[in-house]
Amino acid sequence: MEYGSLAFQALAATIKIVFMILGFLMPLASILTWMERRESAMMQDRLGPNRANIGPFKLWGITHFMADAVKFLFKEDFVPPKAHKFLFMWAPIMAMAPALIVAAIIPFGPPLCWNELLEKNPVCGQPINLQIAQLDVGLLFYFAISSLAVYGATLAGWASHNKWAMMGGLRATSQMMSYEVTMGMAVLGSFLVYGTLEPGAIVAQQTHIFSLGHYHSSWGIFLQPAGFVLFLTAAIAETKRTPFDIPEGEPEIIGYFVEYSGLRFGMFFLGEFLEIVVSSAIMITLFFGGYHWGNTIDNALLSHLPNFVFVLAMFGLWTVKVFAFCGFQLMIRWSLPRFRSDQLMRLGWQRLLPISIANVVATALVVLWAQQ
Amino acid sequence: MAVGVKVVNRPGSLAQQAYLPAIAEGLGVTFRHFVKNFFGNVTGNRKKTDIATMEYPEEKMKYPERNRGLHRLMLRDDGQVRCVACMMCPTVCPAHCITIVPEEAPDGRIEKRPMIFEIDELRCVVCGLCVEACPCDAIRMDTLDHAKPTYRRVDAILDKEELMSRGIQSTAVQGGVGAFWRERVGGQPQTPPAGAVVPAGAPHGPTPLRDHGHK
């Protein structure tokens, strides 16, 4: 098959999609369901679930997520009699699909050099970008699709014919709308610094961890510290988890999925963890150099390993980064108490939004000054 | 506003309003616990962790020494049951869970001994009155164990052999001070009749199941 032909591109894209979903997103999200329970247990001086096993293999209880899936499969799939059947069925898909679609723009490794797979220090005349969709609108696509996730929550709340679910859906809507604005403003800062919205290009620039001589190629966290805190806050709010779990609100309303059971609930559940993985990956892309681990390590690996091994190693290191960041998000979820609904709105509109606008203005001025 | 609400304005410092220092501190606390417990658990050194979880079937909590648990019947120096079938414990038992059928002991020094001694552990309320009532330290509840779950109700009725299997020689002096006193005033200590076989464990066959209905 000839490099660059339509068939080649289609095959490469298919392989990348299948690999990304089955090889990365789903396994990581499934393991996170177990990891959240174990990590919170360790933080609270407990042991957590460690019993599930396959024969003699316990694996510290990692197989709990399989047991969960089997349980979900065998539970009754209950649909409330007065529910809107079609929307009730559609809502979990709407909640889960955006997270999967958004993953298309995440670069998960350096370009694979097609005709130099075994070369060290390849010229890379025929690169295959390890990124499913190389969109110039990149981050705008992220916002467009991830804000669709609000439909999942809203539809679930509406279709359940349940007042609590309705309340949860409304709360989810207001919360996700509010924090979307801050998120966009936070990314605007990164856009000003790197001059592009394409995630692959943003990552390609972050070759140094931090160096004054190459300040424009440092990691985003050092160029946009305020932007990172804002984006992190907004991203956690988007995933609807503590401290921003107003839509679920276990103590007062159960939330928009109160009527869901079995696999449909499992989709909401998994969708939440997919959102964690994807938002972690986006934050790694924007603020922690994507697959880069600093100039020294990158170049050492590039010059000592055959190209395809190098790419695999970088993918592994990127996975480590994403995994650690997921762990960090879980830690935040189990450390902080939740906001009240009005506190949430005040934080979003009166604190984060002005700060994010100020961040954009300040970044613009600094960039202008640096260019002259 | 219908209800009079007095709004007290208590502005915090900038650091408090920014949340971030407090968040960092809180994350520090949880992260410290996580690291300590995680690495202690991975290296298998549970002693170094703060984990309070007991993995029940494998590790069990040790009961305190004064715990009242499963009954046992104590033994004499020669392995016979210490119980003299005085009927104190079934009398005092508020749950009527003790059944004693006395018989004459072949040992000449002892008048009575229990032919049947059964405790229905399902009916027992673990009050410990039988232990209080026993005049010769024959029944105790200090096994630091609890009644085992059974599949059938009858299996929870423990017979004499079962109760004696957990027994040990009691350190209490059998017969009180009377024996000493008799020896000191020159009385003849009674000897067992020649040829009398003193059984160590079971003086009779398996205990027949009896009706334990209300009397």
Side-chain angles (χ1 to χ4, degrees):
Chain A
M1 201 178 294
E2 195 188 339
Y3 173 81
S5 68
L6 196 62
F8 181 89
Q9 284 178 1
L11 186 68
T14 313
I15 291 173
K16 279 187 278 191
I17 291 171
V18 170
F19 174 76
M20 195 66 176
I21 292 180
L22 292 183
F24 178 72
L25 287 172
M26 283 302 185
L28 188 51
S30 308
I31 284 174
L32 278 185
T33 62
W34 163 82
M35 191 171 126
E36 167 156 74
R37 285 181 274 170
R38 273 299 274 226
E39 188 178 325
S40 63
M42 291 291 165
M43 281 161 54
Q44 299 168 349
D45 294 344
R46 296 182 286 114
L47 267 180
N50 58 354
R51 289 293 161 136
N53 55 346
I54 303 173
F57 301 107
K58 255 191 176 174
L59 294 170
W60 313 282
I62 287 178
T63 46
H64 264 277
F65 76 86
M66 295 183 200
D68 281 342
V70 171
K71 186 195 78 173
F72 279 142
L73 274 174
F74 283 97
K75 278 184 93 167
E76 183 190 359
D77 181 22
F78 180 75
V79 180
K82 287 191 176 175
H84 191 297
K85 298 280 184 311
F86 177 73
L87 291 183
F88 190 82
M89 187 196 76
W90 190 241
I93 300 171
M94 285 297 286
M96 194 168 139
L100 289 176
I101 296 172
V102 159
I105 61 161
I106 297 169
F108 53 93
L112 189 67
C113 301
W114 177 241
N115 56 353
E116 297 163 298
L117 286 179
L118 299 174
E119 305 274 326
K120 294 167 185 173
N121 276 324
V123 190
C124 229
Q126 300 183 346
I128 301 175
N129 289 314
L130 293 191
Q131 184 185 7
I132 295 168
Q134 211 171 358
L135 299 173
D136 285 340
V137 293
L139 292 169
L140 292 183
F141 175 81
Y142 170 67
F143 286 120
I145 301 299
S146 70
S147 57
L148 283 181
V150 74
Y151 280 99
T154 316
L155 287 182
W158 173 257
S160 297
H161 198 267
N162 178 319
K163 292 187 184 81
W164 307 120
M166 183 76 203
M167 293 273 290
L170 289 174
R171 286 183 182 192
T173 316
S174 64
Q175 175 176 328
M176 291 178 78
M177 294 287 203
S178 308
Y179 281 80
E180 201 88 355
V181 185
T182 305
M183 212 170 182
M185 283 294 175
V187 166
L188 214 51
S190 299
F191 171 58
L192 287 171
V193 170
Y194 295 115
T196 174
L197 280 173
E198 206 277 296
I202 291 178
V203 168
Q205 291 185 41
Q206 305 182 44
T207 46
H208 296 70
I209 292 179
F210 180 71
S211 78
L212 281 174
H214 309 269
Y215 66 91
H216 52 275
S217 59
S218 300
W219 283 8
I221 175 100
F222 299 110
L223 301 179
Q224 282 286 307
F228 168 66
V229 174
L230 292 166
F231 191 90
L232 177 66
T233 315
I236 295 173
E238 290 286 302
T239 55
K240 302 186 284 294
R241 286 158 59 80
T242 324
F244 301 104
D245 69 336
I246 317 294
E248 289 167 29
E250 292 93 345
E252 67 244 22
I253 59 171
I254 316 297
Y256 48 87
F257 44 60
V258 59
E259 294 288 357
Y260 282 86
S261 59
L263 262 189
R264 289 190 212 285
F265 172 75
M267 283 178 81
F268 277 117
F269 192 59
L270 198 62
E272 193 180 299
F273 284 99
L274 278 175
E275 277 180 30
I276 296 174
V277 177
V278 170
S279 70
S280 295
I282 290 279
M283 271 182 270
I284 296 293
T285 304
L286 282 177
F287 298 106
F288 289 92
Y291 47 80
H292 288 302
W293 277 81
N295 206 17
T296 327
I297 299 176
D298 287 358
N299 284 338
L301 288 177
L302 184 65
S303 53
H304 286 93
L305 295 174
N307 185 254
F308 80 97
V309 180
F310 164 73
V311 169
L312 276 181
M314 293 307 269
F315 169 72
L317 290 173
W318 177 76
T319 310
V320 169
K321 246 191 225 182
V322 175
F323 194 69
F325 212 85
C326 290
F328 178 65
Q329 286 208 47
L330 299 188
M331 208 170 79
I332 288 179
R333 184 242 183 280
W334 286 94
S335 296
L336 305 183
R338 60 196 285 252
F339 284 101
R340 221 167 45 213
S341 200
D342 60 323
Q343 291 171 332
L344 179 91
M345 285 298 144
R346 192 172 300 133
L347 179 75
W349 290 106
Q350 293 187 2
R351 303 276 193 280
L352 294 186
L353 185 59
I355 294 174
S356 61
I357 292 174
N359 180 49
V360 170
V361 173
T363 311
L365 289 176
V366 170
V367 168
L368 198 65
W369 172 77
Q371 280 174 349
Q372 282 169 356
Chain B
M1 206 175 281
V3 184
V5 177
K6 188 183 176 190
V7 178
V8 183
N9 195 19
R10 288 197 192 92
S13 64
L14 187 66
Q16 278 173 325
Q17 286 187 345
Y19 295 130
L20 287 177
I23 287 175
E25 198 184 331
L27 285 177
V29 170
T30 45
F31 188 66
R32 211 164 49 237
H33 276 262
F34 173 74
V35 169
K36 187 177 180 188
N37 293 328
F38 179 76
F39 287 105
N41 204 35
V42 164
T43 53
N45 196 347
R46 282 282 295 280
K47 288 280 183 326
K48 283 189 178 171
T49 65
D50 293 331
I51 292 173
T53 309
M54 279 267 172
E55 295 192 76
Y56 169 62
E58 288 91 26
E59 23 169 12
K60 288 172 182 165
M61 192 164 303
K62 201 173 179 305
Y63 287 122
E65 241 171 80
R66 292 183 59 183
N67 171 270
R68 292 196 299 266
L70 196 60
H71 302 83
R72 63 174 176 174
L73 283 177
M74 304 300 285
L75 309 176
R76 292 166 192 271
D77 290 342
D78 56 4
Q80 290 189 79
V81 66
R82 275 180 80 91
C83 176
V84 293
C86 68
M87 305 305 243
M88 291 279 215
C89 49
T91 309
V92 77
C93 179
H96 300 298
C97 68
I98 305 179
T99 308
I100 299 179
V101 176
E103 67 175 353
E104 202 159 323
D107 188 337
R109 293 179 302 174
I110 312 161
E111 280 183 36
K112 278 164 87 186
R113 68 174 191 190
M115 178 172 74
I116 290 168
F117 194 114
E118 288 180 352
I119 300 180
D120 188 346
E121 293 289 349
L122 287 182
R123 203 186 271 184
C124 173
V125 293
V126 208
C127 63
L129 284 181
C130 49
V131 182
E132 300 270 334
C134 184
C136 49
D137 189 30
I139 186 167
R140 282 196 195 176
M141 300 177 79
D142 59 352
T143 41
L144 300 187
D145 200 358
H146 46 259
K148 294 275 180 293
T150 57
Y151 284 106
R152 298 181 303 166
R153 279 166 186 247
V154 293
D155 293 337
I157 301 171
L158 305 182
D159 61 12
K160 192 167 77 174
E161 284 74 35
E162 170 82 43
L163 292 165
M164 281 168 68
S165 67
R166 286 181 213 88
I168 52 168
Q169 269 92 10
S170 169
T171 51
V173 178
Q174 189 84 28
V177 292
F180 287 114
W181 182 79
R182 276 195 296 276
E183 277 182 40
R184 282 178 64 181
V185 297
Q188 287 295 314
Q190 285 183 317
T191 49
V197 181
V198 182
H204 56 79
T207 315
L209 289 173
R210 293 173 65 256
D211 177 31
H212 279 263
H214 292 280
K215 303 206 167 67

